[in-house]
Amino acid sequence: MTTPNWAENLILDALIYLKANYLPGIRWRHSKRKDSSGACYPDHISIMAGRDRLDLKLVILHELAHWALPTRIGHEGHTARFWDLAWQLYRAFRLPIRYC
């Protein structure tokens, strides 16, 4: 499946915000579930897109925060540094803090 235009724009805007040097590969799949999920790998980000757009935005930014913090063995887990960056992205892209 292809990434919707609004999601591509969010990803590009977030990468500009993060001052990224390259674009990660995005593997996009649709789900009939309401909620979305994602995973970050060394060569790509995988998104399972649910029906709730707000939740999907949160997942995209969450995975981009992982991607922006690479380590020698992959990407940083849910460390304090990760959460600082994730919350910075949520605020920058105006996600409702109560939802996050």
Side-chain angles (χ1 to χ4, degrees), residues 7 10-11 21 28 61 63 69 88-89 98-100:
L10 175 64
I11 292 165
N21 294 328
W28 192 273
L61 295 174
E63 296 308 329
L69 298 171
Q88 187 178 348
L89 287 170
R98 182 174 290 221
Y99 181 80
C100 297

Side-chain angles (χ1 to χ4, degrees), residues 79-93:
T79 63
R81 190 169 83 126
F82 162 80
W83 283 114
D84 287 345
L85 181 57
W87 281 101
Q88 187 178 348
L89 287 170
Y90 301 156
R91 287 185 187 99
F93 290 91

Side-chain angles (χ1 to χ4, degrees), residues 1-12 24-39 41 43-64:
M1 293 258 143
T2 59
T3 307
N5 287 338
W6 69 265
E8 284 183 358
N9 291 336
L10 175 64
I11 292 165
L12 290 173
I26 304 291
R27 294 190 183 164
W28 192 273
R29 295 181 295 157
H30 288 280
S31 170
K32 293 182 180 181
R33 295 176 43 211
K34 179 183 175 191
D35 297 332
S36 299
S37 62
Y41 300 96
D43 63 336
H44 72 280
I45 292 172
S46 179
I47 301 292
M48 178 64 78
R51 296 185 321 268
D52 184 324
R53 187 174 287 197
L54 177 59
D55 187 66
L56 184 50
K57 287 179 180 181
L58 179 87
V59 168
I60 290 168
L61 295 174
H62 179 101
E63 296 308 329
L64 286 171

Side-chain angles (χ1 to χ4, degrees), residues 61-80:
L61 295 174
H62 179 101
E63 296 308 329
L64 286 171
H66 280 300
W67 177 82
L69 298 171
T71 66
R72 287 184 302 143
I73 57 171
H75 291 275
E76 195 163 314
H78 295 120
T79 63

